């Protein structure tokens, strides 16, 4: 056995306790990225078309074109709405969601709004059922229920 003075043994015990405390709490020192919001449309993704219920907004050159199965909606949208359509699409490009554990997918079986996004370079569309529950907006993204963080549902569905 090593011959150490009482002062040296105290230092050994102190460092051993510090190492044990560090080992037990190492998970709290690591960054937890699950709380950070993530974009619905990945960075560099380009939105080509957007369908909100029966209303379709699609890229037409550098502008956006609106079409609907409802004649009243078509007449309403044609009257100077190009800037609002561009703002709506811009909101979708910047929309953020974050993980949550409060609401399950069963709660979104009857969504308030269904949005379909067509992205450049993607074979399939991205279908997003959206529902507002207790003033919080939830959507299903990649088979996971997410909480809409930015912008509000009104900024994503109204023009």
């Amino acid at each position: 056995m090593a011959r150490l003075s009482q002062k040296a043994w105290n230092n050994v015990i102190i460092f051993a306790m510090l190492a044990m405390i560090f080992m037990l709490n190492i998970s709290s020192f690591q960054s937890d990225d699950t709380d950070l919001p993530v974009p619905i449309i990945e960075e560099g993704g380009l939105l080509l078309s957007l369908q909100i219920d029966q209303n379709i907004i699609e890229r037409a050159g550098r502008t956006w074109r609106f079409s609907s199965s409802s004649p009243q909606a078509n007449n309403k949208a044609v009257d100077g709405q190009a800037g609002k359509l561009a703002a709506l699409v811009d909101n979708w490009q910047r929309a953020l969601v974050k993980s949550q554990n409060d609401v399950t997918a069963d709660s979104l079986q009857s969504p308030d709004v269904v949005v379909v996004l067509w992205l450049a370079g993607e074979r399939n569309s991205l279908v997003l059922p959206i529902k507002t529950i207790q003033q919080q907006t939830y959507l299903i993204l990649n088979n996971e229920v997410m909480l809409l963080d930015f912008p509000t549902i009104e900024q994503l569905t109204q023009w």
Side-chain angles (χ1 to χ4, degrees):
M1 185 150 160
R3 293 229 172 228
L4 296 175
S5 67
Q6 184 177 3
K7 195 174 190 180
W9 275 113
N10 285 343
N11 288 340
V12 169
I13 291 171
I14 289 170
F15 283 107
M17 294 308 267
L18 286 173
M20 189 168 60
I21 290 169
F22 178 75
M23 293 300 287
L24 292 174
N25 293 313
I26 196 164
S27 63
S28 66
F29 295 123
Q30 296 172 344
S31 68
D32 188 16
D33 292 341
T34 58
D35 293 342
L36 296 177
V38 296
I40 293 175
I41 300 173
E42 295 178 11
E43 187 175 336
L46 180 63
L47 186 61
L48 296 177
S49 179
L50 162 68
Q51 180 178 350
I52 302 172
D53 288 332
Q54 299 300 317
N55 303 318
I56 299 172
I57 301 165
E58 57 190 352
R59 183 176 291 279
R62 293 184 180 197
T63 61
W64 294 91
R65 176 177 43 209
F66 176 84
S67 62
S68 175
S69 60
S70 166
Q72 294 93 357
N74 277 332
N75 291 339
K76 178 183 146 193
V78 171
D79 300 333
Q81 298 292 327
K84 291 182 180 179
L85 292 177
L88 177 79
V89 171
D90 185 52
N91 285 339
W92 274 104
Q93 289 281 154
R94 298 181 297 124
L96 300 173
V97 293
K98 58 184 174 180
S99 297
Q100 58 83 39
N101 295 322
D102 299 332
V103 176
T104 62
D106 295 335
S107 303
L108 275 76
Q109 289 297 322
S110 59
D112 298 334
V113 178
V114 176
V115 176
V116 181
L117 304 174
W118 289 95
L119 303 173
E122 296 291 325
R123 173 174 270 168
N124 297 322
S125 63
L126 185 62
V127 179
L128 304 171
I130 301 173
K131 185 167 182 94
T132 301
I133 301 171
Q134 297 178 355
Q135 299 176 343
Q136 298 283 339
T137 303
Y138 299 92
L139 56 92
I140 296 178
L141 178 65
N142 300 327
N143 297 324
E144 183 181 350
V145 178
M146 305 289 274
L147 175 66
L148 182 64
D149 188 51
F150 172 82
T152 65
I153 187 62
E154 291 80 19
Q155 292 171 316
L156 292 175
T157 58
Q158 297 175 1
W159 55 91

